[in-house]
Amino acid sequence: VMKIYQQAIDLKVKNVIIINKKKNLKYKHKFIKKKIKVFHDHSKIKKIIKKKIDYTMCSISGLSGLKPTLGAINYSKTVGIANKESIICGWNILKKKLKKNKTNFIPIDSEHFSIWSLINNVNKASIEEIILTASGGPFLNKATKSLRNIKPKDAIKHPNWSMGKKISIDSTNLMNKVLEVIEAQRIFNIDKKKFKILIHPKSYIHAIIKFNNGLVKFLAHDTHMKIPIFNSIYFKKNKKIQSKQLNLKVFN
Amino acid sequence: VMKIYQQAIDLKVKNVIIINKKKNLKYKHKFIKKKIKVFHDHSKIKKIIKKKIDYTMCSISGLSGLKPTLGAINYSKTVGIANKESIICGWNILKKKLKKNKTNFIPIDSEHFSIWSLINNVNKASIEEIILTASGGPFLNKATKSLRNIKPKDAIKHPNWSMGKKISIDSTNLMNKVLEVIEAQRIFNIDKKKFKILIHPKSYIHAIIKFNNGLVKFLAHDTHMKIPIFNSIYFKKNKKIQSKQLNLKVFN
């Protein structure tokens, strides 16, 4: 909560929702002192937002992200969804609601954002293969023997991305990549047989698309979530973001 | 000429132009026997073509390609230009003519075709860098000493592409890549400071574009001219071409 508190002050936020009752009661007064309103559930958003806002980012983790996301579609011109579970479990409902409200949707999960960047405005029938890349996690190529004494803290040490604990564990045991294939299959409505997974420890390439016409397109960006987030906000504008120099030696 | 003769028969061609006077006289009768008309200059095309045709490929080598290409723009809906010299020397004239005749233009040179595939329909201002790849030619990493006894036939042995002698020599001494940067700078009207060259001996990637938004797109296709040619003909259609399996190990 103190992290949200600091962010709310830094970004001059006017309204905050804290679902957890105990924490809501405990910290409410701190926010109120700074003239920040505190709510305890999403239903109050309707009262705060009077007309469609430009952008909402849905990044609540787990399936509890679904309901607020469905709400966000009503009052947003564009929603960025970082929450895998709501896409995997609730895509059909999300899709209907997006269509009904003419709301733009941009996936924030870096692999899906990368695929989207390559095939947005492309005829889906022209796609032969979609390859998602996986780093292989911290235990790739380790001898089975050496895994006997691993601790949870070793399992959450992702080699390339700094992420939450749950997704880090899912990456380590590769389940995350399976979830990502399901997620991609839903978002892009492409036959699951067209998806492949490539173990790519450098995590340099995030998506590879092979087209029927013989062309193969690859997408790379810094392994930092600021890139998909920045692009989901400014996707129609030509805005510049500072990023690392190209590491072109990777191909040689 | 015998190669053209065979192609004309295989593809049921009705009209052939042979500029070289001696060869025209020597082989004319062979074509006529097969009911193929033979002309000796491009000016006769106007009589043959009554309405705009779908596609013309301009692949005459050297600057003598310019005039026929300017003609082709008049009577074609789309022209594919494989001839570097006419683009480098005559782009301003070609560009005006393309605009006036509302003729589509597609570059066939594989690097330019690859760049075009990545930035066609993209706002040019959003491009930060364009990287052309060069194989480095047959003498890359060879000791200076070992170059003392090389013969012309060694210099035309390109490691990845099967091409004509002139362009093979230009590749070997890297002049071809300089010409390609000039060519790309003309076609795409992008500041020459934004171009870079990467020595990439595997010739797997043909073009790399870095955008202001932090995204990097790469294009690969089989090192065979059938890919750019096929795509210049069918670029608006979803047609399938047989191509090699992806070699994904290149990134690891």
Side-chain angles (χ1 to χ4, degrees):
Chain A
V1 177
M2 286 313 291
K3 217 170 176 179
I4 292 176
Y5 174 73
Q6 196 51 53
Q7 284 180 347
I9 291 168
D10 290 349
L11 301 167
K12 291 174 187 146
V13 165
K14 289 179 191 162
N15 304 283
V16 164
I17 303 169
I18 303 172
I19 307 269
N20 184 301
K21 273 184 192 172
K22 271 189 192 170
K23 290 192 175 159
N24 188 310
L25 281 171
K26 189 174 168 188
Y27 292 99
K28 204 173 185 174
H29 69 282
K30 284 184 77 73
F31 287 88
I32 293 167
K33 261 189 203 165
K34 298 283 181 183
K35 287 177 185 169
I36 299 165
K37 283 182 196 158
V38 180
F39 300 91
H40 68 276
D41 74 56
H42 290 274
S43 64
K44 299 296 177 294
I45 293 181
K46 279 176 248 169
K47 290 189 188 169
I48 305 166
I49 297 168
K50 304 283 189 252
K51 56 174 194 175
K52 268 209 169 192
I53 57 172
D54 288 330
Y55 180 82
T56 304
M57 156 75 88
C58 304
S59 62
I60 298 168
S61 70
L63 197 53
S64 44
L66 181 59
K67 215 177 155 188
T69 302
L70 287 168
I73 295 171
N74 287 325
Y75 54 75
S76 312
K77 290 179 194 162
T78 299
V79 289
I81 306 183
N83 173 221
K84 271 192 184 67
E85 290 83 353
S86 31
I87 293 174
I88 291 173
C89 307
W91 180 248
N92 286 341
I93 318 170
L94 288 169
K95 197 181 161 187
K96 262 184 215 159
K97 197 133 202 179
L98 286 165
K99 204 179 166 184
K100 196 183 154 197
N101 289 274
K102 287 172 190 159
T103 304
N104 292 315
F105 157 69
I106 297 174
I108 304 297
D109 206 353
S110 78
E111 287 79 1
H112 303 82
F113 166 73
S114 296
I115 296 170
W116 178 85
S117 300
L118 289 174
I119 68 172
N120 186 24
N121 300 326
V122 153
N123 174 6
K124 298 283 161 65
S126 68
I127 296 168
E128 192 177 305
E129 255 176 45
I130 296 187
I131 295 119
L132 282 90
T133 57
S135 72
F139 303 142
L140 182 71
N141 300 328
K142 290 270 188 306
T144 320
K145 237 183 176 179
S146 74
L147 297 180
R148 275 181 204 157
N149 300 314
I150 53 162
K151 300 263 152 41
K153 73 171 167 43
D154 303 317
I156 61 169
K157 269 184 202 151
H158 193 279
N160 303 305
W161 288 93
S162 166
M163 304 187 293
K165 285 177 189 172
K166 200 263 182 193
I167 188 171
S168 293
I169 293 292
D170 283 352
S171 293
T172 299
N173 61 30
L174 295 182
M175 188 59 207
N176 184 50
K177 213 45 61 176
V178 178
L179 294 173
E180 282 179 2
V181 169
I182 301 171
E183 189 184 352
Q185 192 273 320
R186 308 245 143 137
I187 295 173
F188 303 110
N189 192 24
I190 286 171
D191 185 356
K192 64 176 183 284
K193 285 176 194 160
K194 292 190 175 179
F195 287 94
K196 284 188 182 170
I197 294 169
L198 170 73
I199 300 286
H200 168 46
K202 287 175 191 160
S203 292
Y204 189 75
I205 302 291
H206 305 314
I208 306 170
I209 317 278
K210 191 181 181 196
F211 295 91
N212 288 330
N213 62 9
L215 304 189
V216 188
K217 292 184 182 179
F218 302 80
L219 198 115
H221 62 74
D222 293 353
T223 50
H224 195 293
M225 288 310 293
K226 70 179 180 186
I227 303 280
I229 295 168
F230 174 92
N231 278 281
S232 71
I233 300 173
Y234 298 116
F235 76 105
K236 278 183 178 169
K237 292 176 179 116
N238 173 26
K239 274 232 176 194
K240 186 160 171 62
I241 186 168
Q242 207 58 44
S243 61
K244 283 180 201 157
Q245 278 290 306
L246 280 178
N247 171 17
L248 297 172
K249 283 177 189 160
V250 79
F251 299 109
N252 290 335
Chain B
V1 178
M2 285 314 290
K3 218 170 176 179
I4 291 176
Y5 174 73
Q6 197 50 53
Q7 284 180 347
I9 290 167
D10 291 348
L11 301 167
K12 292 174 186 144
V13 164
K14 289 179 191 163
N15 304 283
V16 164
I17 302 169
I18 302 172
I19 307 267
N20 184 301
K21 273 186 191 171
K22 271 190 190 169
K23 291 193 174 159
N24 188 312
L25 281 170
K26 190 173 167 190
Y27 293 99
K28 205 173 183 172
H29 69 281
K30 285 183 76 69
F31 288 88
I32 293 167
K33 261 189 202 164
K34 299 283 182 183
K35 287 177 184 166
I36 299 164
K37 284 182 195 158
V38 179
F39 300 90
H40 68 276
D41 73 58
H42 290 274
S43 64
K44 300 294 177 295
I45 294 181
K46 278 175 249 170
K47 290 188 187 168
I48 305 165
I49 298 168
K50 304 282 190 254
K51 58 174 191 173
K52 266 207 169 194
I53 57 172
D54 289 329
Y55 181 82
T56 304
M57 157 74 88
C58 304
S59 63
I60 298 169
S61 70
L63 197 54
S64 44
L66 182 59
K67 216 177 156 187
T69 302
L70 287 168
I73 295 171
N74 288 326
Y75 54 76
S76 312
K77 289 179 195 162
T78 298
V79 289
I81 306 184
N83 172 221
K84 268 190 186 66
E85 290 83 352
S86 33
I87 293 174
I88 291 174
C89 307
W91 180 248
N92 286 341
I93 318 170
L94 288 169
K95 197 180 160 187
K96 262 185 216 160
K97 197 134 202 178
L98 286 165
K99 204 178 167 186
K100 196 182 156 197
N101 289 274
K102 286 173 192 159
T103 304
N104 292 316
F105 156 71
I106 298 174
I108 304 297
D109 206 352
S110 78
E111 287 79 0
H112 303 81
F113 166 73
S114 295
I115 296 170
W116 178 84
S117 301
L118 288 174
I119 67 171
N120 185 23
N121 300 325
V122 153
N123 174 6
K124 299 283 161 66
S126 68
I127 297 167
E128 192 177 305
E129 255 176 47
I130 296 186
I131 294 120
L132 282 89
T133 56
S135 72
F139 303 141
L140 182 70
N141 299 328
K142 291 270 191 304
T144 320
K145 238 182 173 179
S146 74
L147 297 180
R148 275 182 203 157
N149 300 315
I150 52 162
K151 300 264 151 39
K153 73 172 167 45
D154 303 317
I156 59 169
K157 270 184 201 152
H158 193 278
N160 303 305
W161 288 92
S162 166
M163 305 186 293
K165 285 178 191 171
K166 200 262 181 194
I167 188 171
S168 293
I169 292 293
D170 283 351
S171 293
T172 298
N173 61 31
L174 295 183
M175 188 60 206
N176 185 49
K177 212 47 59 176
V178 179
L179 293 174
E180 283 180 2
V181 170
I182 301 170
E183 189 184 353
Q185 192 273 320
R186 307 236 162 182
I187 295 173
F188 303 109
N189 192 25
I190 286 172
D191 185 357
K192 63 176 185 284
K193 285 176 193 158
K194 292 190 174 178
F195 287 94
K196 284 188 181 170
I197 295 169
L198 170 73
I199 300 286
H200 167 47
K202 288 175 191 159
S203 291
Y204 189 75
I205 303 290
H206 305 314
I208 305 170
I209 317 278
K210 190 179 182 197
F211 296 90
N212 287 331
N213 62 7
L215 304 188
V216 187
K217 293 185 180 178
F218 301 81
L219 199 116
H221 62 75
D222 293 354
T223 50
H224 196 295
M225 287 311 293
K226 71 179 180 186
I227 303 279
I229 295 167
F230 175 91
N231 277 282
S232 71
I233 299 172
Y234 298 116
F235 76 105
K236 277 184 179 168
K237 292 175 180 118
N238 173 26
K239 275 232 176 194
K240 187 161 170 63
I241 185 168
Q242 206 58 43
S243 60
K244 283 180 202 156
Q245 278 290 308
L246 279 178
N247 170 18
L248 296 173
K249 283 177 191 159
V250 80
F251 299 111
N252 290 336

